[in-house]
Amino acid sequence: HLAYIESLSLQSGKKYFLAKMKNEYMGVVNLTNIVENQAAELGIYAKPNTLGNGTVLMHKIIRFAFDEMKIKKLFANAYINNENAINLYKKFHFNIYGKSKDKNGDLVQMELYDENK
């Protein structure tokens, strides 16, 4: 497992973060399919059965992408039956622009533009 985790830092076009607060792991966030200074796909996994972690993680990764990486647009996908995820994205003003499918089911496609760009 350690070799895999170490290999993540070497992959171009991807950034993974394990988030921790007060010695407690909150979850994992990632940016993939990164096009420098343009766009990236956001992924988030909050520790189950915790309140507020998703909101904190989402706020931090959006600010990192827009402020530090100078990304102009973020994309995200959520399974259509994952109302908690969709509502979290909507809370941060992601707009639904389409639907797609993968091997596990139907997806909602969302996007967020940096309003400062």
Side-chain angles (χ1 to χ4, degrees), residues 1-105:
H1 296 294
L2 185 57
Y4 171 74
I5 292 169
E6 289 173 351
S7 76
L8 294 176
S9 67
L10 302 175
Q11 295 181 16
S12 64
K14 299 177 183 180
K15 292 192 179 290
Y16 293 86
F17 303 92
L18 176 61
K20 189 176 178 181
M21 184 177 1
K22 297 181 182 176
N23 296 322
E24 289 287 323
Y25 290 106
M26 299 175 65
V28 176
V29 290
N30 63 66
L31 297 169
T32 58
N33 301 317
I34 298 169
V35 178
E36 192 172 334
N37 298 319
Q38 294 298 317
E41 185 172 339
L42 181 150
I44 182 170
Y45 175 79
K47 181 180 175 182
N49 304 316
T50 57
L51 291 175
N53 280 0
T55 298
V56 172
L57 292 170
M58 186 72 81
H59 176 75
K60 295 292 186 185
I61 195 64
I62 289 171
R63 292 288 30 107
F64 178 79
F66 288 160
D67 297 343
E68 303 296 322
M69 295 182 64
K70 308 301 183 202
I71 297 290
K72 295 177 181 82
K73 183 178 183 180
L74 290 171
F75 294 97
N77 294 302
Y79 288 102
I80 204 158
N81 61 348
N82 189 345
E83 292 180 28
N84 288 339
I86 293 168
N87 289 335
L88 179 62
Y89 285 111
K90 285 181 175 179
K91 178 178 178 178
F92 284 88
H93 308 287
F94 276 78
N95 294 309
I96 295 173
Y97 71 89
K99 295 182 180 178
S100 65
K101 292 182 180 212
D102 72 4
K103 64 182 179 180
N104 297 312

